[in-house]
Amino acid sequence: MRALVQCVSEASIDIEGQASGTIGRGYVILLGVGAEDAPAQAERLWQKISKMRVFEDEAGKTNLSLGDVEGDVMIVSQFTLYANCKKGNRPSFTEAARPETAIPLYEHFVSLAQADVAHVVTGQFGAMMDVHLSNHGPFTIWLDTDNL
């Protein structure tokens, strides 16, 4: 499982051209599910994300976690995080999970976040989405469960 985690001061999402949700300070998580992923990867990834200390304390040091700042979360499915561009100029997505595997794992990850975070907004799997965000920091972190 792969995640691109961005600290934001605010974000919103439009699904199929319709406003769908907004968050304040917190994370926008673009989440990719790999063909070999299982619930254990979702759990390990969420635990890492939820405990990351990337928010500034009173002294300006990145010592605070999402829970410490009572942050919000937006989770957007993003199979393109598994793009393979080794051959030619057209990306291959064969390493991404097929929808019948990816959707339940995406939903499992969302449920883990909802258990810990008061305000979670999600995208819609397979839909055309526009994500608008104000990157705070900027602070963007790439996580891959193969490397955690």
Side-chain angles (χ1 to χ4, degrees):
M1 200 166 262
R2 295 177 177 166
L4 185 70
V5 182
Q6 294 185 298
C7 291
V8 299
S9 53
E10 63 183 3
S12 64
I13 187 166
D14 298 339
I15 301 174
E16 303 291 348
Q18 298 295 314
S20 181
T22 62
I23 65 168
R25 181 181 189 193
Y27 292 146
V28 169
I29 303 170
L30 304 180
L31 183 71
V33 179
E36 303 299 318
D37 287 335
Q41 279 81 18
E43 292 154 15
R44 187 168 67 226
L45 184 60
W46 173 250
Q47 285 305 308
K48 179 61 79 173
I49 291 170
S50 69
K51 291 181 170 63
M52 282 191 313
R53 296 184 308 152
V54 297
F55 293 97
E56 295 177 351
D57 64 16
E58 313 80 40
K61 300 211 183 269
T62 53
N63 283 325
L64 302 177
S65 69
L66 184 66
D68 293 332
V69 299
E70 298 180 359
D72 299 337
V73 173
M74 178 183 292
I75 305 169
V76 180
S77 63
Q78 192 77 46
F79 76 94
T80 59
L81 294 179
Y82 278 90
N84 183 329
C85 299
K86 289 181 183 176
K87 294 182 181 178
N89 295 316
R90 184 179 190 162
S92 168
F93 300 103
T94 58
E95 296 174 34
R98 299 192 46 76
E100 56 270 14
T101 300
I103 293 171
L105 287 173
Y106 169 78
E107 291 172 350
H108 180 58
F109 185 88
V110 168
S111 72
L112 294 168
Q114 289 171 329
D116 289 342
V117 177
H119 185 63
V120 177
V121 170
T122 63
Q124 180 180 329
F125 195 93
M128 179 58 72
M129 296 174 278
D130 292 315
V131 177
H132 311 273
L133 59 91
S134 293
N135 193 308
H136 182 76
F139 219 119
T140 303
I141 298 175
W142 169 259
L143 297 169
D144 187 321
T145 54
D146 288 344
N147 300 317
L148 294 181

